[in-house]
Amino acid sequence: MENLLSDKTVALILDNDKEIAYKEVDILTKGVIIGVCDEGALTLKINRQQFNCFRGECIVVPPYHILTYVDCTRDIKFRILYMPEDVVSRIPNVSSEIRLQELPSEPVARLSNDTLMEIRHTHNRIARMCGRQTNDLNEHLKTLYGYTIILEALSEFPSAISITEVDRKQMLVRDFIRNLLIHFKEHRTVEFYAEKAFVTPKYLSHLVKLTTGSTIQEWISRAILQEAKRMLRNTDMTVAQVAMELDFSTSASFVRFFKAKTGTTPDKWRKK
């Protein structure tokens, strides 16, 4: 699932055998996720609200939300397209709506057979490209094919991107997640994020804990760990370089942090 933290367009297929280890693990989304259920059924939480996606259905997750994989049936086959926000922002017509960063009023919709066939075909093309050596043309083609999948999927939603009304509290939590993903490498205090939100640290702490079930410091740690895993999995950076990139004072302090959160060292985790 570290592929969903990439800075490039990614297509993958989730099945029970591969992904069961990620049950109830929160992912802070940085881009648009389109999920299509080919077989079985999948249960996800988006910002702690639970949704079921059955065979022939599609789910849309915009950027800067908390995505949690809850459970799936044994026969699950679930296609995922992930596109980073900066890539989506260059797509005309779609980008202005997706970048509102709100959930569709109903994020799950049933797809027609024709749309399913088109999405499967295009998804397979992107997946094959993900296995090739990266170059500008390859990335451009993946973006174009990803654009096609987004348009195909959204065309099946009753109101396309019909945005839910959110109150100020929900907006504050959403903006906290967004600011966290932008600034967590340099800023790890409640005071910083409260100042960005124009509220007191006490109020923001209470609101985030009440809404998400976790403290701000816990979310900061999750963002650091998520980025550490992404770099360990998707780059050739050494542990020392990862520690420096994440603003740890020493490699040893980063290793202690990583082991406390995962039960293993960065090197051992990378070799899994």
Side-chain angles (χ1 to χ4, degrees):
M1 294 289 273
E2 285 77 31
N3 288 325
L4 300 186
L5 313 176
S6 174
D7 58 357
K8 296 179 171 57
T9 299
V10 173
L12 59 118
I13 296 178
L14 179 152
D15 63 53
N16 198 39
D17 292 334
K18 292 179 182 178
E19 303 299 334
I20 195 66
Y22 290 92
K23 185 180 289 188
E24 296 292 352
V25 173
D26 295 319
I27 295 177
L28 304 177
T29 64
K30 291 184 176 182
V32 175
I33 297 172
I34 304 285
V36 176
C37 190
D38 275 358
E39 301 289 344
L42 185 80
T43 302
L44 298 169
K45 290 180 183 176
I46 304 173
N47 298 342
R48 300 296 188 246
Q49 184 177 356
Q50 189 161 297
F51 298 95
N52 296 312
C53 191
F54 297 99
R55 179 180 179 180
E57 291 184 340
C58 171
I59 188 165
V60 177
V61 186
Y64 305 118
H65 289 278
I66 305 165
L67 178 65
T68 314
Y69 164 48
V70 178
D71 206 355
C72 64
T73 57
R74 287 181 176 273
D75 59 342
I76 188 67
K77 184 176 181 182
F78 192 79
R79 295 177 183 271
I80 298 174
L81 171 75
Y82 167 81
M83 296 186 72
E85 189 197 22
D86 66 326
V87 174
V88 177
S89 68
R90 298 195 293 269
I91 299 175
N93 302 325
V94 175
S95 60
S96 61
E97 296 175 334
I98 289 288
R99 289 175 67 199
L100 289 173
Q101 297 160 7
E102 305 293 354
L103 280 173
S105 54
E106 292 294 335
V108 179
R110 177 157 293 280
L111 302 179
S112 67
N113 288 334
D114 286 345
T115 299
L116 275 172
M117 292 286 289
E118 288 293 334
I119 288 179
R120 286 170 184 162
H121 179 70
T122 308
H123 185 274
N124 287 337
R125 283 189 171 185
I126 299 174
R128 286 195 296 270
M129 290 178 184
C130 289
R132 300 174 187 168
Q133 185 174 1
T134 300
N135 57 56
D136 290 343
L137 178 59
N138 197 37
E139 291 305 313
H140 181 63
L141 286 172
K142 285 197 297 182
T143 298
L144 291 176
Y145 286 135
Y147 176 30
T148 301
I149 288 180
I150 290 177
L151 290 181
E152 289 277 3
L154 295 185
S155 70
E156 300 284 346
F157 281 76
S159 52
I161 295 294
S162 173
I163 304 302
T164 55
E165 292 186 5
V166 295
D167 61 24
R168 174 166 165 74
K169 292 180 181 179
Q170 291 173 312
M171 290 180 64
L172 282 171
V173 173
R174 181 206 66 196
D175 288 345
F176 162 69
I177 296 296
R178 183 177 191 278
N179 286 324
L180 174 65
L181 288 171
I182 294 171
H183 299 291
F184 72 91
K185 290 182 184 179
E186 300 85 18
H187 299 285
R188 299 174 183 175
T189 66
V190 176
E191 288 75 15
F192 172 82
Y193 295 102
E195 184 177 341
K196 295 288 287 185
F198 302 103
V199 296
T200 66
K202 182 177 180 180
Y203 179 75
L204 185 63
S205 297
H206 170 75
L207 185 60
V208 170
K209 174 68 175 177
L210 182 67
T211 304
T212 70
S214 299
T215 67
I216 289 178
Q217 287 300 335
E218 287 171 336
W219 282 116
I220 292 171
S221 292
R222 284 175 185 165
I224 297 168
L225 183 64
Q226 177 172 289
E227 181 65 5
K229 288 180 175 180
R230 185 195 69 80
M231 288 190 284
L232 290 168
R233 183 73 75 198
N234 299 331
T235 76
D236 295 326
M237 295 172 68
T238 66
V239 171
Q241 289 171 327
V242 172
M244 182 178 297
E245 178 69 19
L246 293 175
D247 204 30
F248 282 85
S249 57
T250 64
S251 296
S253 62
F254 167 64
V255 172
R256 284 195 299 272
F257 166 84
F258 194 93
K259 189 171 184 179
K261 300 299 180 185
T262 66
T264 189
T265 65
D267 279 330
K268 289 180 179 178
W269 185 90
R270 174 177 255 169
K271 292 174 183 177
K272 284 184 179 180

